[in-house]
Amino acid sequence: MSSGEYYLDPELYDAIYSDVVADIAPHLELMRQAGGPALELCCGNGRLLIPTLEAGRACDGLDYDANMLASLRAKLSARGLRANVFQGDMREFSLAGRYALIAIPFNSFLHNLTQHEQLATLGCCRRHLAPGGRLVLTTFHPSAEKLLEWSGQEKFLKELPYENGRVRVYDRADDDRVEQLRRMTRRIEFLDAAGTVVRRAAVNFTLRYIYKPEMELLLRVAGFARWQARPAFASYTDAGSLAGERPLREGDNIAWTAWNE
């Protein structure tokens, strides 16, 4: 990964992202319309790759984290699914194939913390696209109101069912609004059926958010001549929150498409 290494172990990832569902249906439709070989970067342990394969669409996967890939391979084996899965860095991977579609979902592109890393990732993707192929990535567009609301103090994020109890997630965001860096401290509590905290975990990670004109410039410098930005969905946790056809707004999750022409 980039210098902003995240990563939850697979069990924690599955526990705290079990409610992230809004991007599954759009991702499956994207894969259905790929028009050729597809690759998912930052595929993790299969939150999107497994539904893709279960829907009958072949897709390769690449991720930096060996533990997540081990979890993915175990899930694939348990379900009788097959896929080409590679360990690699989105900034500098080298695969033999060329793809009609490369997808970087779920804000994963934002783990590139410098322009050098951002351009390296975009350039590497373009080199792996077939002529006319598409790069599709989803990123949140910063909202000044939300940046201020979440900055500098811990907030309760969500509570979800987990095994015979619950899991609670708390986030603290410390923002550098000059460098556009959001340093996250995430605290996780596991509760038993009686509501007693029986386990705690914590993870730190950093994102570099990107404004729309900045992203357009990055794509141009990386060699893309045509792109499109559309609102994707209002919330990753609401399957009914597809944004539809409307102008972009602060705080949107943006679906970027760039063509290799």
Side-chain angles (χ1 to χ4, degrees):
M1 195 53 219
S2 71
S3 56
E5 293 198 8
Y6 184 4
Y7 276 36
L8 294 170
D9 66 43
E11 179 200 3
L12 286 175
Y13 188 95
D14 289 343
I16 72 171
Y17 289 125
S18 64
D19 61 334
V20 176
V21 294
D23 57 343
I24 294 176
H27 189 79
L28 292 180
E29 182 63 18
L30 178 69
M31 291 294 166
R32 188 184 70 80
Q33 297 179 359
L39 170 67
E40 182 190 337
L41 297 184
C42 308
C43 65
N45 64 343
R47 188 181 67 83
L48 291 171
L49 184 59
I50 286 174
T52 298
L53 299 171
E54 289 177 335
R57 177 70 179 98
C59 182
D60 294 347
L62 182 143
D63 198 90
Y64 182 80
D65 189 274
N67 291 330
M68 293 293 273
L69 290 176
S71 172
L72 170 60
R73 292 186 177 103
K75 289 181 178 183
L76 294 177
S77 177
R79 292 165 173 77
L81 300 171
R82 297 178 62 87
N84 296 317
V85 177
F86 309 99
Q87 184 176 8
D89 187 322
M90 64 176 162
R91 300 168 301 172
E92 55 183 10
F93 62 94
S94 179
L95 303 179
R98 294 297 177 265
Y99 295 92
L101 172 69
I102 296 177
I104 312 178
F106 198 30
N107 289 316
S108 296
F109 184 78
L110 301 185
H111 292 291
N112 291 302
L113 302 186
T114 67
Q115 287 183 350
H116 176 77
E117 292 179 343
Q118 292 165 341
L119 289 171
T121 294
L122 293 174
C124 195
C125 289
R126 191 170 69 86
R127 290 190 296 274
H128 282 79
L129 285 171
R134 294 176 294 154
L135 169 64
V136 179
L137 56 92
T138 305
T139 63
F140 77 86
H141 190 282
S143 157
E145 180 181 0
K146 290 181 180 179
L147 288 178
L148 291 172
E149 176 187 353
W150 281 89
S151 187
Q153 58 182 321
E154 184 179 80
K155 286 180 170 285
F156 171 75
L157 181 63
K158 59 186 175 181
E159 180 173 319
L160 301 168
Y162 180 76
E163 295 183 347
N164 295 322
R166 311 283 293 177
V167 59
R168 289 179 184 158
V169 183
Y170 300 83
D171 273 355
R172 176 189 171 106
D174 291 289
D175 289 312
D176 181 337
R177 290 189 288 276
V178 173
E179 298 297 333
Q180 298 171 206
L181 294 174
R182 166 155 279 203
R183 298 179 175 91
M184 300 297 302
T185 301
R186 175 163 290 169
R187 188 166 60 86
I188 305 160
E189 295 180 342
F190 290 88
L191 294 78
D192 63 16
T196 302
V197 176
V198 294
R199 179 184 167 197
R200 292 181 171 88
V203 63
N204 300 306
F205 59 99
T206 303
L207 303 174
R208 186 172 196 266
Y209 51 86
I210 306 171
Y211 291 93
K212 179 175 179 286
E214 179 186 14
M215 188 67 192
E216 291 173 335
L217 183 58
L218 288 167
L219 290 168
R220 184 181 300 279
V221 173
F224 291 97
R226 182 164 68 98
W227 54 82
Q228 178 186 68
R230 301 175 59 188
F233 32 79
S235 167
Y236 275 102
T237 58
D238 181 0
S241 68
L242 296 181
E245 297 295 334
R246 62 161 175 76
L248 290 168
R249 302 170 184 162
E250 276 194 316
D252 273 341
N253 291 288
I254 299 179
W256 288 93
T257 302
W259 286 265
N260 182 33
E261 296 180 339

